[in-house]
Short mmCIF file of all heavy atoms in Angstrom, two decimals:
data_model
loop_
_atom_site.label_atom_id
_atom_site.label_comp_id
_atom_site.label_asym_id
_atom_site.label_seq_id
_atom_site.Cartn_x
_atom_site.Cartn_y
_atom_site.Cartn_z
N PRO A 358 -43.65 71.49 215.81
CA PRO A 358 -43.02 72.41 214.87
C PRO A 358 -43.07 73.87 215.32
O PRO A 358 -44.05 74.33 215.91
CB PRO A 358 -43.84 72.23 213.59
CG PRO A 358 -44.53 70.93 213.74
CD PRO A 358 -44.76 70.75 215.21
N VAL A 359 -41.99 74.58 215.01
CA VAL A 359 -41.94 76.03 215.22
C VAL A 359 -42.78 76.64 214.10
O VAL A 359 -42.57 76.34 212.92
CB VAL A 359 -40.48 76.54 215.14
CG1 VAL A 359 -40.43 78.04 215.25
CG2 VAL A 359 -39.62 75.87 216.21
N PRO A 360 -43.74 77.51 214.44
CA PRO A 360 -44.62 78.05 213.40
C PRO A 360 -43.93 79.06 212.49
O PRO A 360 -42.94 79.69 212.87
CB PRO A 360 -45.73 78.73 214.20
CG PRO A 360 -45.12 79.06 215.51
CD PRO A 360 -44.08 78.00 215.77
N PHE A 361 -44.47 79.18 211.29
CA PHE A 361 -44.08 80.26 210.39
C PHE A 361 -45.05 81.39 210.69
O PHE A 361 -46.21 81.35 210.32
CB PHE A 361 -44.17 79.83 208.92
CG PHE A 361 -43.62 80.87 207.98
CD1 PHE A 361 -42.27 80.90 207.70
CD2 PHE A 361 -44.44 81.82 207.41
CE1 PHE A 361 -41.74 81.86 206.85
CE2 PHE A 361 -43.93 82.78 206.57
CZ PHE A 361 -42.58 82.81 206.29
N ASP A 362 -44.56 82.40 211.42
CA ASP A 362 -45.41 83.47 211.91
C ASP A 362 -45.02 84.81 211.28
O ASP A 362 -44.24 84.84 210.31
CB ASP A 362 -45.36 83.53 213.44
CG ASP A 362 -43.94 83.72 213.98
OD1 ASP A 362 -43.02 84.03 213.19
OD2 ASP A 362 -43.76 83.56 215.19
N ALA A 363 -45.54 85.89 211.82
CA ALA A 363 -45.26 87.22 211.27
C ALA A 363 -43.78 87.56 211.31
O ALA A 363 -43.24 88.14 210.35
CB ALA A 363 -46.08 88.28 212.01
N ALA A 364 -43.10 87.18 212.38
CA ALA A 364 -41.65 87.45 212.47
C ALA A 364 -40.90 86.67 211.39
O ALA A 364 -39.96 87.18 210.77
CB ALA A 364 -41.12 87.10 213.86
N ALA A 365 -41.32 85.42 211.16
CA ALA A 365 -40.69 84.62 210.11
C ALA A 365 -40.98 85.21 208.74
O ALA A 365 -40.11 85.19 207.85
CB ALA A 365 -41.16 83.17 210.20
N ALA A 366 -42.17 85.72 208.54
CA ALA A 366 -42.52 86.35 207.26
C ALA A 366 -41.62 87.56 206.99
O ALA A 366 -41.13 87.74 205.87
CB ALA A 366 -43.99 86.76 207.24
N ARG A 367 -41.37 88.35 208.02
CA ARG A 367 -40.47 89.51 207.86
C ARG A 367 -39.04 89.04 207.59
O ARG A 367 -38.34 89.60 206.74
CB ARG A 367 -40.53 90.42 209.08
CG ARG A 367 -41.84 91.20 209.16
CD ARG A 367 -41.80 92.25 210.27
NE ARG A 367 -41.68 91.66 211.59
CZ ARG A 367 -42.68 91.19 212.32
NH1 ARG A 367 -43.90 91.23 211.85
NH2 ARG A 367 -42.48 90.68 213.51
N ALA A 368 -38.61 88.00 208.28
CA ALA A 368 -37.27 87.46 208.06
C ALA A 368 -37.16 86.88 206.65
O ALA A 368 -36.11 86.98 206.01
CB ALA A 368 -36.94 86.39 209.11
N PHE A 369 -38.25 86.30 206.15
CA PHE A 369 -38.24 85.73 204.79
C PHE A 369 -37.93 86.81 203.75
O PHE A 369 -37.22 86.54 202.78
CB PHE A 369 -39.57 85.05 204.47
CG PHE A 369 -39.61 84.51 203.08
CD1 PHE A 369 -38.92 83.35 202.75
CD2 PHE A 369 -40.33 85.16 202.09
CE1 PHE A 369 -38.93 82.86 201.45
CE2 PHE A 369 -40.35 84.67 200.80
CZ PHE A 369 -39.66 83.52 200.48
N ALA A 370 -38.43 88.00 203.94
CA ALA A 370 -38.15 89.08 202.99
C ALA A 370 -36.65 89.33 202.91
O ALA A 370 -36.09 89.49 201.81
CB ALA A 370 -38.88 90.35 203.40
N ARG A 371 -35.97 89.32 204.05
CA ARG A 371 -34.51 89.53 204.07
C ARG A 371 -33.80 88.34 203.43
O ARG A 371 -32.82 88.51 202.69
CB ARG A 371 -34.04 89.77 205.49
CG ARG A 371 -34.56 91.10 206.08
CD ARG A 371 -33.94 91.43 207.42
NE ARG A 371 -34.15 90.43 208.45
CZ ARG A 371 -35.22 90.36 209.24
NH1 ARG A 371 -36.19 91.23 209.12
NH2 ARG A 371 -35.32 89.42 210.15
N VAL A 372 -34.26 87.12 203.71
CA VAL A 372 -33.66 85.92 203.13
C VAL A 372 -33.81 85.95 201.61
O VAL A 372 -32.84 85.70 200.87
CB VAL A 372 -34.30 84.64 203.72
CG1 VAL A 372 -33.91 83.41 202.92
CG2 VAL A 372 -33.91 84.47 205.19
N ALA A 373 -35.00 86.26 201.13
CA ALA A 373 -35.24 86.31 199.68
C ALA A 373 -34.33 87.36 199.03
O ALA A 373 -33.76 87.12 197.96
CB ALA A 373 -36.71 86.62 199.39
N ASN A 374 -34.16 88.49 199.70
CA ASN A 374 -33.27 89.53 199.18
C ASN A 374 -31.82 89.04 199.15
O ASN A 374 -31.11 89.25 198.16
CB ASN A 374 -33.40 90.80 200.02
CG ASN A 374 -32.62 91.94 199.43
OD1 ASN A 374 -32.79 92.28 198.26
ND2 ASN A 374 -31.75 92.53 200.24
N ASP A 375 -31.38 88.38 200.20
CA ASP A 375 -30.02 87.82 200.24
C ASP A 375 -29.80 86.85 199.08
O ASP A 375 -28.76 86.88 198.42
CB ASP A 375 -29.76 87.07 201.55
CG ASP A 375 -29.56 87.98 202.74
OD1 ASP A 375 -29.35 89.20 202.55
OD2 ASP A 375 -29.63 87.47 203.88
N LEU A 376 -30.79 85.98 198.84
CA LEU A 376 -30.65 84.99 197.78
C LEU A 376 -30.64 85.63 196.40
O LEU A 376 -29.89 85.21 195.52
CB LEU A 376 -31.77 83.94 197.88
CG LEU A 376 -31.69 83.06 199.13
CD1 LEU A 376 -32.90 82.15 199.22
CD2 LEU A 376 -30.40 82.26 199.17
N ARG A 377 -31.43 86.67 196.21
CA ARG A 377 -31.41 87.40 194.93
C ARG A 377 -30.05 88.03 194.71
O ARG A 377 -29.49 87.97 193.61
CB ARG A 377 -32.50 88.46 194.90
CG ARG A 377 -33.86 87.90 194.63
CD ARG A 377 -34.88 89.00 194.36
NE ARG A 377 -36.19 88.41 194.26
CZ ARG A 377 -37.12 88.51 195.19
NH1 ARG A 377 -36.91 89.21 196.28
NH2 ARG A 377 -38.30 87.93 195.02
N ARG A 378 -29.52 88.65 195.74
CA ARG A 378 -28.19 89.29 195.62
C ARG A 378 -27.10 88.28 195.35
O ARG A 378 -26.10 88.60 194.72
CB ARG A 378 -27.87 90.08 196.89
CG ARG A 378 -28.68 91.34 197.00
CD ARG A 378 -28.31 92.12 198.22
NE ARG A 378 -29.13 93.32 198.28
CZ ARG A 378 -28.86 94.34 199.02
NH1 ARG A 378 -27.79 94.34 199.79
NH2 ARG A 378 -29.64 95.38 199.03
N ALA A 379 -27.30 87.06 195.83
CA ALA A 379 -26.31 85.99 195.60
C ALA A 379 -26.50 85.35 194.24
O ALA A 379 -25.76 84.43 193.89
CB ALA A 379 -26.42 84.93 196.71
#
Side-chain angles (χ1 to χ4, degrees):
V359 176
F361 187 86
D362 57 12
R367 288 188 296 276
F369 177 75
R371 293 188 302 273
V372 168
N374 186 54
D375 286 345
L376 293 175
R377 282 190 187 106
R378 287 182 180 197

